[in-house]
Amino acid sequence: MALIVQKYGGTSVGSTERIKNVAKRVARWKAMGHDVVVVPSAMSGETNRLIGLAKEISATPSPRELDVIASTGEQVTIGLLAMAIQEEGLKAKSYTGSQVRVLTDSTFTKARILQIDDERMRKDLAEGNVVVVAGFQGADENGNITTLGRGGSDTSAVALAAALKADECQIYTDVDGVYTTDPRVVPEARKLDTITFEEMLEMASLGSKVLQIRSVEFAGKYKVKLRVLSSFQDEGEGTLITVEDDKNMEQPIISGIAFNRDEAKLTVLGVPDRPGIAYQILGPIADANIDVDMIIQNVGVDGTTDFSFTVNRSEYTKAMAVLEQVKQHVGAREIVGDNKTCKVSAVGVGMRSHPGVASQMFRTLAEEGINIQMISTSEIKISVVIDEKYLELAVRILHKTFGLDQA
Ligand code: ADP
Ligand code: ASP
Ligand code: MG
């Protein structure tokens, strides 16, 4: 007998019919003798709808109230799912994040899980219940409702699996595993049977939204066995996230192509080339709670330099406003920005032992006439920022160039 945590994404619980199917799957796992904790997302489109309502009231909604609203989507699905499981003749109990006590910090709209109280869940499981816990949410130490960032139910599931020391965390979604790239963009994408934590972490942080980044971080840190599967198929092993396998000589150089449509670029032109400038520009950005992704500083000419960085597109206006504030202080000539950019990345642990991947990537893009605006590399990834209109083309040709297309 094992303890399994199963997470079902928005599409998988997108209608009462689908919720009934989820209940049937849960019942099958119970019938095999396993204990099951289920973590549903809100019904597909619901979180967007709720945030939309908030924005009809206020252009700059209070993050605390936004979380109160956004978290209700999952409260609906836990109740419906617990009922559907009861209809299967099983015992089931639903809990919101704050009821379980998923304790988070107080960073509304992107809170981090600090601790999970497993007592109640263990007691319920011992009494034969399926425990249904709302994804995406928790509460801070003062009882304020928080949410974990978009796609956060993945993280809820993995954190619950870690707290309960579950045997496996299964992420059920609308594709049957992790692919070499988003199969909706490249139909030739191939499903991977396994992918290393390191690669999955890069893929997720570079834009592959199949798993939220923090869920992968959590799984790596707490050694949670993590698998991505389809909720629409009864068969299939999905993709298992594994530790690096040295014995696997067949490892491809590139495992996948990730992309992020939400990149926006800001450039501070003509800043004095002296110590402390990066801090003076990025300090206020960090203080405004804006995450910075890529950073480039040019070589100084005539005592001045240009400084560029990227942020999530949703924070573009906010970041621009911060820069306008610091402009005078740092003595910059001009602030320019572009929120029609995107980022495309090639990821693979095999890159470590194979030089020349970057040049192959740049050549391929050049042959298509795609201009590279920014570049960033690490041991196992190469990312470029390009004009968003070339996104699909770039992903397709890189997928092909690196031999990832299905035969
Ligand atoms: P859920 O609602 O179940 O959490 P998501 O939409 O968050 O589902 O994630 C699943 C989606 O991730 C897929 O439908 C697919 O379009 C997208 N995706 C992006 N990159 C990949 C990838 N490399 N492999 C599989 N799916 C991917
Ligand atoms: N419902 C939340 C969202 O849409 C969380 C999730 O689906 O994982 O972002
Ligand atoms: Mg998701």
Side-chain angles (χ1 to χ4, degrees), residues 94 101 107 120 129 135 235 287 303 349 358 379:
S94 69
R101 207 129 197 258
T107 322
R120 218 169 185 172
N129 286 285
E235 304 284 312
D287 292 344
V349 287
E379 244 193 326

Side-chain angles (χ1 to χ4, degrees), residues 7 151 154 209-210:
K7 178 257 174 178
D154 298 332
K209 294 190 176 117
V210 60

Side-chain angles (χ1 to χ4, degrees), residues 7-12 41-42 44 151 153-154 171-185 189-192 195 200 203 207-212 228-229 231 239 256-259:
K7 178 257 174 178
Y8 291 90
T11 318
S12 308
S41 297
S44 58
S153 299
D154 298 332
I171 306 287
Y172 286 93
T173 182
D174 52 9
V175 285
D176 61 348
V178 178
Y179 278 68
T180 46
T181 193
D182 189 339
R184 290 182 210 288
V185 171
R190 273 186 296 117
K191 184 184 84 77
L192 300 164
I195 183 169
M200 193 62 239
M203 290 282 281
S208 297
K209 294 190 176 117
V210 60
L211 285 176
Q212 201 201 31
V228 177
L229 305 134
S231 69
T239 301
I257 308 293
F259 55 86

Side-chain angles (χ1 to χ4, degrees), residues 141-405:
E141 57 180 358
N142 297 315
N144 295 301
I145 292 172
T146 55
T147 67
L148 310 178
R150 298 309 303 270
S153 299
D154 298 332
T155 304
S156 304
V158 175
L160 283 163
L164 290 161
K165 301 194 175 51
D167 296 279
E168 185 164 309
C169 181
Q170 303 174 338
I171 306 287
Y172 286 93
T173 182
D174 52 9
V175 285
D176 61 348
V178 178
Y179 278 68
T180 46
T181 193
D182 189 339
R184 290 182 210 288
V185 171
V186 182
E188 293 81 14
R190 273 186 296 117
K191 184 184 84 77
L192 300 164
D193 292 334
T194 61
I195 183 169
T196 67
F197 271 108
E198 223 183 341
E199 288 171 322
M200 193 62 239
L201 201 56
E202 286 286 6
M203 290 282 281
S205 56
L206 296 168
S208 297
K209 294 190 176 117
V210 60
L211 285 176
Q212 201 201 31
I213 311 166
R214 282 183 196 165
S215 70
V216 188
E217 282 170 1
F218 248 103
K221 189 165 167 195
Y222 295 101
K223 310 253 176 309
V224 175
K225 188 172 172 195
L226 183 61
R227 194 186 288 279
V228 177
L229 305 134
S230 166
S231 69
F232 295 92
Q233 293 175 5
D234 288 339
E235 304 284 312
E237 296 289 299
T239 301
L240 183 67
I241 324 296
T242 60
V243 284
E244 196 167 338
D245 183 1
D246 294 331
K247 294 184 286 295
N248 186 357
M249 304 295 284
E250 299 288 307
Q251 205 134 50
I253 301 172
I254 300 297
S255 300
I257 308 293
F259 55 86
N260 181 7
R261 299 178 193 274
D262 304 326
E263 205 88 0
K265 186 175 77 170
L266 298 100
T267 302
V268 188
L269 292 167
V271 286
D273 190 15
R274 59 168 149 72
I277 281 295
Y279 175 63
Q280 281 174 31
I281 294 172
L282 294 181
I285 293 283
D287 292 344
N289 218 352
I290 300 170
D291 288 327
V292 170
D293 183 14
M294 275 196 215
I295 304 170
I296 285 186
Q297 186 181 328
N298 279 343
V299 175
V301 180
D302 301 335
T304 68
T305 184
D306 301 336
F307 192 93
S308 296
F309 59 95
T310 61
V311 298
N312 189 287
R313 214 176 271 184
S314 64
E315 308 203 286
Y316 175 70
T317 318
K318 195 165 143 197
M320 267 301 206
V322 173
L323 289 187
E324 286 300 338
Q325 295 268 318
V326 298
K327 181 177 161 189
Q328 276 232 296
H329 178 59
V330 298
R333 190 173 70 245
E334 199 185 345
I335 312 287
V336 292
D338 183 356
N339 65 354
K340 298 266 183 297
T341 57
C342 66
K343 182 171 70 175
V344 179
S345 312
V347 176
V349 287
M351 228 184 258
R352 284 195 183 115
S353 47
H354 288 80
V357 176
S359 68
Q360 190 179 347
M361 181 164 175
F362 303 154
R363 187 179 64 230
T364 307
L365 294 171
E367 280 166 3
E368 295 294 331
I370 300 172
N371 184 41
I372 301 171
Q373 303 180 15
M374 290 170 104
I375 299 169
S376 125
T377 64
S378 80
E379 244 193 326
I380 66 161
K381 72 114 201 278
I382 302 161
S383 300
V384 295
V385 171
I386 59 173
D387 190 316
E388 68 170 9
K389 68 173 181 256
Y390 296 120
L391 175 84
E392 272 87 5
L393 174 64
V395 174
R396 258 189 288 120
I397 54 163
L398 291 173
H399 195 266
K400 190 160 193 259
T401 297
F402 288 118
L404 297 174
D405 279 8

